[in-house]
Amino acid sequence: ESKRRVELNRLVAFRREEVDQPVIHAAVARWFQREGDPAQALRVLDEGLAASGAEQNAFFVATRVIVLLEDGQLNEAETLFARWPAPHEGHEYWKATGLLQEELHRNYRAAVEAYEKAIAIWPGPTDWKLRFRRAGCLSLVGEKELADAAREQALMVQNLFKPEIQQRLRAALANPRQTSSVEAIVEFYQTLERPDEVRFWQNTLRR
């Protein structure tokens, strides 16, 4: 709790000193979004609209679209999404695409395709909530076996972020010369289906 507050206080201080920087407003809004307070995040973003170039800043626009979606303002989110600055790519772009297809248009196949693209791009592999959404959409289009496998994978990723598992990983990263530490890190990346990282740490283990 105290560490999160320190982060917020630092961001607020930056925002106070650089009120004309849309990226700072978006960063503060992200903090509230991560804390489950989209209403406060939107208030921060509304104030940030006065910053120079806010509506052309990709991070600011992406943040606003995501927060609008989480706040249930689907039509407003879609209107703003249409003005998403180029390039039209990346984890958040495809995540927003999937959410709009699922929640607003009820086009579950299109949502599955968008979610798969979002999950493939970091930090998508760690986004277990998005994985559960993909599983739900697969169920809705009748892909039961794929949905069951996707749900199982989502649960495995969710479990990686239990406090005790995260503590174990932090301890492993602090002692990367120990075999058990490297094995724990390899297992983490295997669950996330990150073959490049798996190979790197396996090579470390061999050395």
PDB file of all heavy atoms in Angstrom, residues 36-52:
ATOM      1  N   GLY A  36      -8.482   0.237  -9.881  1.00  0.00           N
ATOM      2  CA  GLY A  36      -9.911  -0.048  -9.991  1.00  0.00           C
ATOM      3  C   GLY A  36     -10.805   1.156  -9.823  1.00  0.00           C
ATOM      4  O   GLY A  36     -11.962   1.018  -9.410  1.00  0.00           O
ATOM      5  N   ASP A  37     -10.296   2.353 -10.167  1.00  0.00           N
ATOM      6  CA  ASP A  37     -11.080   3.584 -10.023  1.00  0.00           C
ATOM      7  C   ASP A  37     -11.131   4.327 -11.359  1.00  0.00           C
ATOM      8  O   ASP A  37     -10.517   5.387 -11.523  1.00  0.00           O
ATOM      9  CB  ASP A  37     -10.449   4.475  -8.943  1.00  0.00           C
ATOM     10  CG  ASP A  37     -11.350   5.645  -8.546  1.00  0.00           C
ATOM     11  OD1 ASP A  37     -12.379   5.865  -9.213  1.00  0.00           O
ATOM     12  OD2 ASP A  37     -11.015   6.347  -7.567  1.00  0.00           O
ATOM     13  N   PRO A  38     -11.874   3.780 -12.348  1.00  0.00           N
ATOM     14  CA  PRO A  38     -11.925   4.433 -13.659  1.00  0.00           C
ATOM     15  C   PRO A  38     -12.557   5.823 -13.629  1.00  0.00           C
ATOM     16  O   PRO A  38     -12.212   6.678 -14.446  1.00  0.00           O
ATOM     17  CB  PRO A  38     -12.756   3.461 -14.510  1.00  0.00           C
ATOM     18  CG  PRO A  38     -13.555   2.675 -13.526  1.00  0.00           C
ATOM     19  CD  PRO A  38     -12.686   2.553 -12.315  1.00  0.00           C
ATOM     20  N   ALA A  39     -13.474   6.068 -12.692  1.00  0.00           N
ATOM     21  CA  ALA A  39     -14.112   7.389 -12.615  1.00  0.00           C
ATOM     22  C   ALA A  39     -13.071   8.471 -12.305  1.00  0.00           C
ATOM     23  O   ALA A  39     -13.053   9.542 -12.931  1.00  0.00           O
ATOM     24  CB  ALA A  39     -15.216   7.383 -11.564  1.00  0.00           C
ATOM     25  N   GLN A  40     -12.197   8.195 -11.326  1.00  0.00           N
ATOM     26  CA  GLN A  40     -11.148   9.162 -11.000  1.00  0.00           C
ATOM     27  C   GLN A  40     -10.146   9.273 -12.151  1.00  0.00           C
ATOM     28  O   GLN A  40      -9.652  10.366 -12.458  1.00  0.00           O
ATOM     29  CB  GLN A  40     -10.426   8.763  -9.715  1.00  0.00           C
ATOM     30  CG  GLN A  40      -9.308   9.712  -9.298  1.00  0.00           C
ATOM     31  CD  GLN A  40      -9.797  11.134  -9.055  1.00  0.00           C
ATOM     32  OE1 GLN A  40     -10.919  11.348  -8.601  1.00  0.00           O
ATOM     33  NE2 GLN A  40      -8.960  12.113  -9.383  1.00  0.00           N
ATOM     34  N   ALA A  41      -9.856   8.154 -12.796  1.00  0.00           N
ATOM     35  CA  ALA A  41      -8.959   8.184 -13.949  1.00  0.00           C
ATOM     36  C   ALA A  41      -9.508   9.091 -15.041  1.00  0.00           C
ATOM     37  O   ALA A  41      -8.764   9.872 -15.659  1.00  0.00           O
ATOM     38  CB  ALA A  41      -8.754   6.770 -14.490  1.00  0.00           C
ATOM     39  N   LEU A  42     -10.821   9.017 -15.277  1.00  0.00           N
ATOM     40  CA  LEU A  42     -11.435   9.876 -16.293  1.00  0.00           C
ATOM     41  C   LEU A  42     -11.370  11.346 -15.903  1.00  0.00           C
ATOM     42  O   LEU A  42     -11.179  12.216 -16.765  1.00  0.00           O
ATOM     43  CB  LEU A  42     -12.892   9.465 -16.532  1.00  0.00           C
ATOM     44  CG  LEU A  42     -13.104   8.262 -17.447  1.00  0.00           C
ATOM     45  CD1 LEU A  42     -14.578   7.893 -17.505  1.00  0.00           C
ATOM     46  CD2 LEU A  42     -12.577   8.556 -18.857  1.00  0.00           C
ATOM     47  N   ARG A  43     -11.524  11.638 -14.620  1.00  0.00           N
ATOM     48  CA  ARG A  43     -11.419  13.032 -14.182  1.00  0.00           C
ATOM     49  C   ARG A  43     -10.018  13.581 -14.463  1.00  0.00           C
ATOM     50  O   ARG A  43      -9.866  14.722 -14.924  1.00  0.00           O
ATOM     51  CB  ARG A  43     -11.762  13.140 -12.692  1.00  0.00           C
ATOM     52  CG  ARG A  43     -13.265  13.070 -12.406  1.00  0.00           C
ATOM     53  CD  ARG A  43     -13.596  13.469 -10.986  1.00  0.00           C
ATOM     54  NE  ARG A  43     -13.260  12.422 -10.026  1.00  0.00           N
ATOM     55  CZ  ARG A  43     -14.087  11.425  -9.705  1.00  0.00           C
ATOM     56  NH1 ARG A  43     -15.284  11.325 -10.268  1.00  0.00           N
ATOM     57  NH2 ARG A  43     -13.717  10.516  -8.813  1.00  0.00           N
ATOM     58  N   VAL A  44      -9.023  12.770 -14.213  1.00  0.00           N
ATOM     59  CA  VAL A  44      -7.645  13.184 -14.498  1.00  0.00           C
ATOM     60  C   VAL A  44      -7.468  13.411 -15.995  1.00  0.00           C
ATOM     61  O   VAL A  44      -6.860  14.405 -16.420  1.00  0.00           O
ATOM     62  CB  VAL A  44      -6.655  12.115 -13.985  1.00  0.00           C
ATOM     63  CG1 VAL A  44      -5.233  12.418 -14.469  1.00  0.00           C
ATOM     64  CG2 VAL A  44      -6.688  12.031 -12.475  1.00  0.00           C
ATOM     65  N   LEU A  45      -7.997  12.518 -16.800  1.00  0.00           N
ATOM     66  CA  LEU A  45      -7.868  12.642 -18.250  1.00  0.00           C
ATOM     67  C   LEU A  45      -8.631  13.851 -18.782  1.00  0.00           C
ATOM     68  O   LEU A  45      -8.168  14.529 -19.712  1.00  0.00           O
ATOM     69  CB  LEU A  45      -8.353  11.360 -18.929  1.00  0.00           C
ATOM     70  CG  LEU A  45      -7.480  10.129 -18.702  1.00  0.00           C
ATOM     71  CD1 LEU A  45      -8.199   8.867 -19.143  1.00  0.00           C
ATOM     72  CD2 LEU A  45      -6.151  10.256 -19.443  1.00  0.00           C
ATOM     73  N   ASP A  46      -9.796  14.125 -18.214  1.00  0.00           N
ATOM     74  CA  ASP A  46     -10.558  15.312 -18.626  1.00  0.00           C
ATOM     75  C   ASP A  46      -9.731  16.579 -18.397  1.00  0.00           C
ATOM     76  O   ASP A  46      -9.704  17.479 -19.244  1.00  0.00           O
ATOM     77  CB  ASP A  46     -11.872  15.400 -17.853  1.00  0.00           C
ATOM     78  CG  ASP A  46     -12.903  14.385 -18.331  1.00  0.00           C
ATOM     79  OD1 ASP A  46     -12.730  13.853 -19.440  1.00  0.00           O
ATOM     80  OD2 ASP A  46     -13.859  14.120 -17.574  1.00  0.00           O
ATOM     81  N   GLU A  47      -9.064  16.636 -17.260  1.00  0.00           N
ATOM     82  CA  GLU A  47      -8.209  17.791 -16.980  1.00  0.00           C
ATOM     83  C   GLU A  47      -7.024  17.827 -17.936  1.00  0.00           C
ATOM     84  O   GLU A  47      -6.573  18.903 -18.338  1.00  0.00           O
ATOM     85  CB  GLU A  47      -7.718  17.732 -15.532  1.00  0.00           C
ATOM     86  CG  GLU A  47      -8.834  17.894 -14.505  1.00  0.00           C
ATOM     87  CD  GLU A  47      -8.389  17.552 -13.082  1.00  0.00           C
ATOM     88  OE1 GLU A  47      -7.191  17.247 -12.901  1.00  0.00           O
ATOM     89  OE2 GLU A  47      -9.244  17.598 -12.169  1.00  0.00           O
ATOM     90  N   GLY A  48      -6.546  16.652 -18.323  1.00  0.00           N
ATOM     91  CA  GLY A  48      -5.398  16.574 -19.218  1.00  0.00           C
ATOM     92  C   GLY A  48      -5.695  16.953 -20.654  1.00  0.00           C
ATOM     93  O   GLY A  48      -4.769  17.180 -21.438  1.00  0.00           O
ATOM     94  N   LEU A  49      -6.972  17.032 -21.018  1.00  0.00           N
ATOM     95  CA  LEU A  49      -7.331  17.410 -22.389  1.00  0.00           C
ATOM     96  C   LEU A  49      -6.823  18.799 -22.761  1.00  0.00           C
ATOM     97  O   LEU A  49      -6.640  19.113 -23.941  1.00  0.00           O
ATOM     98  CB  LEU A  49      -8.851  17.349 -22.582  1.00  0.00           C
ATOM     99  CG  LEU A  49      -9.461  15.951 -22.719  1.00  0.00           C
ATOM    100  CD1 LEU A  49     -10.975  16.032 -22.678  1.00  0.00           C
ATOM    101  CD2 LEU A  49      -8.996  15.298 -24.031  1.00  0.00           C
ATOM    102  N   ALA A  50      -6.595  19.632 -21.747  1.00  0.00           N
ATOM    103  CA  ALA A  50      -6.097  20.983 -22.009  1.00  0.00           C
ATOM    104  C   ALA A  50      -4.611  20.983 -22.365  1.00  0.00           C
ATOM    105  O   ALA A  50      -4.092  21.991 -22.868  1.00  0.00           O
ATOM    106  CB  ALA A  50      -6.329  21.869 -20.782  1.00  0.00           C
ATOM    107  N   ALA A  51      -3.919  19.882 -22.113  1.00  0.00           N
ATOM    108  CA  ALA A  51      -2.484  19.811 -22.411  1.00  0.00           C
ATOM    109  C   ALA A  51      -2.262  19.819 -23.920  1.00  0.00           C
ATOM    110  O   ALA A  51      -3.055  19.276 -24.696  1.00  0.00           O
ATOM    111  CB  ALA A  51      -1.884  18.552 -21.798  1.00  0.00           C
ATOM    112  N   SER A  52      -1.177  20.429 -24.337  1.00  0.00           N
ATOM    113  CA  SER A  52      -0.868  20.551 -25.755  1.00  0.00           C
ATOM    114  C   SER A  52      -0.686  19.180 -26.406  1.00  0.00           C
ATOM    115  O   SER A  52       0.092  18.349 -25.943  1.00  0.00           O
ATOM    116  CB  SER A  52       0.415  21.368 -25.925  1.00  0.00           C
ATOM    117  OG  SER A  52       0.798  21.428 -27.276  1.00  0.00           O
TER     118      SER A  52
END
